[in-house]
Amino acid sequence: MPHFKVGEYMKKCKEVRNAGFMTKRNLRDAQAEVSQLEMELQRKDKLLRGLQERKRRMDAKISNLEDEVDSLPEKSRFTQCSILSDRAVESRKKHPTRFQNKKFSSSLSVQRQRRKETFAAAQKIHGGSEETEVPGAIGIVDTALVKCSQSILVDVMSVNQKFNQSVMPSIYKPKLGEFESSTENMIRSVSVYYSGGVAGKKKYRKIYKDSSYKIAMQSKGKKRVRLSVNNCPIPRLVPYNKLMPFIKSIPVGSMYSVYETLCEGLDEEYKVHGCYRNLAELLIKLAEFYLSGCSGHTLVWFEEEYKFYVSLGGDGAPFGKHDTACAWLVGFLNIG
């Protein structure tokens, strides 16, 4: 007779009871979650209705303000809402501000009126007041410099006496002082001093005066006045008394006394005073100068780079070509 498995039966019954218990608990949790979501939905729905009511009230207030503006007289609307009335704007379009042939097309009175209106508008826009007009002035200048093309700025400002005689010189003169005391101007002056041979003190001072000053006839006689363009002085060369210390400070190598080194054993009446430089040292210095690129030129003589011949005249000074009667070839330096 078969045996009935009581243990397995009891185990199955227990699993069925536990499954029913878990299903009931999950159902209760889901119902609680739904209840919370419904409460949150009601809260947000209430908030939405409040925002809609606020929007309705704001729309009504805006509509009332628009009706009040439309009901204002024309003059009051011009004062509060715009710079010019529509009628004035249309009138100005028929006679706009023009600048042709170096002058304004409108009359002086119209120009004054429009300047006054423009400045008043700029004061309001940039926060000016009766106590200070600086914000409006800065705003107008900044707008002109940014919004106007270069051609318009040049055309209008070039005929303005205030700009040419006062503003531009005030900008230019500090820069002029910086240039005149710069190394660039010092080198420029050295170039003038040595151009076409050594100018010397007297000639350089004359060049200095003639290039920067003119003679003006006055009731008491002649007077030198500074040359200028539109009240902007022309840059001067460096004065002679400042140029010479700079030239003497330039390293030129060693100098030797003729009297001390070359006149030994001669009678006193045959000895001479003077200075000279050693030729070998000088050639090396010249080679260094060309190789460093300071000259701004590539040395190409005798169809070969950095090869040059040195010729000296009969008196020992550089003179002519190496094959002339008054010169003799000392040698050549080939740098490669």
Side-chain angles (χ1 to χ4, degrees), residues 4-20:
F4 182 74
K5 297 180 180 180
V6 178
E8 290 183 8
Y9 172 74
M10 297 301 295
K11 186 176 181 181
K12 291 290 183 182
C13 290
K14 186 177 181 180
E15 290 177 358
V16 171
R17 288 196 302 271
N18 289 339

Side-chain angles (χ1 to χ4, degrees), residues 10 16 24 61 77 79 99 120 124 131 146 163 174-175 197 199 214 230 232 239 241 250 266 278 286 322 329 335:
M10 297 301 295
V16 171
K24 291 179 181 178
K61 186 179 289 187
R77 289 169 62 186
T79 304
F99 187 79
K124 293 180 181 179
E131 289 76 19
V146 174
F163 181 83
K175 300 294 183 181
K214 65 179 180 179
N230 272 353
C232 296
N241 61 334
I250 300 174
L266 298 177
N278 183 280
L286 287 173
H322 69 277
L329 181 63
I335 305 171

Side-chain angles (χ1 to χ4, degrees), residues 170-182:
S170 299
I171 299 172
Y172 170 80
K173 287 178 181 178
K175 300 294 183 181
L176 173 66
E178 293 177 8
F179 173 76
E180 290 184 339
S181 59
S182 66

Side-chain angles (χ1 to χ4, degrees), residues 299-317:
L299 180 61
V300 183
W301 291 350
F302 306 104
E303 300 180 356
E304 196 173 332
E305 281 193 14
Y306 301 116
K307 177 181 180 180
F308 58 92
Y309 293 86
V310 179
S311 303
L312 297 182
D315 57 354

Side-chain angles (χ1 to χ4, degrees), residues 219-263:
S219 58
K220 297 182 179 180
K222 299 179 180 179
K223 183 181 179 181
R224 285 188 176 271
V225 296
R226 186 80 175 268
L227 289 171
S228 62
V229 179
N230 272 353
N231 209 25
C232 296
I234 293 176
R236 294 175 296 191
L237 297 169
V238 176
Y240 181 82
N241 61 334
K242 294 183 179 180
L243 181 66
M244 284 299 104
F246 176 79
I247 291 177
K248 291 178 181 180
S249 68
I250 300 174
V252 295
S254 301
M255 302 292 292
Y256 301 95
S257 171
V258 175
Y259 184 88
E260 295 176 358
T261 60
L262 301 179
C263 297

Side-chain angles (χ1 to χ4, degrees), residues 266-281:
L266 298 177
D267 294 336
E268 194 64 30
E269 60 180 315
Y270 295 112
K271 292 183 179 181
V272 295
H273 294 273
C275 295
Y276 70 95
R277 285 187 289 181
N278 183 280
L279 180 59
E281 294 177 0

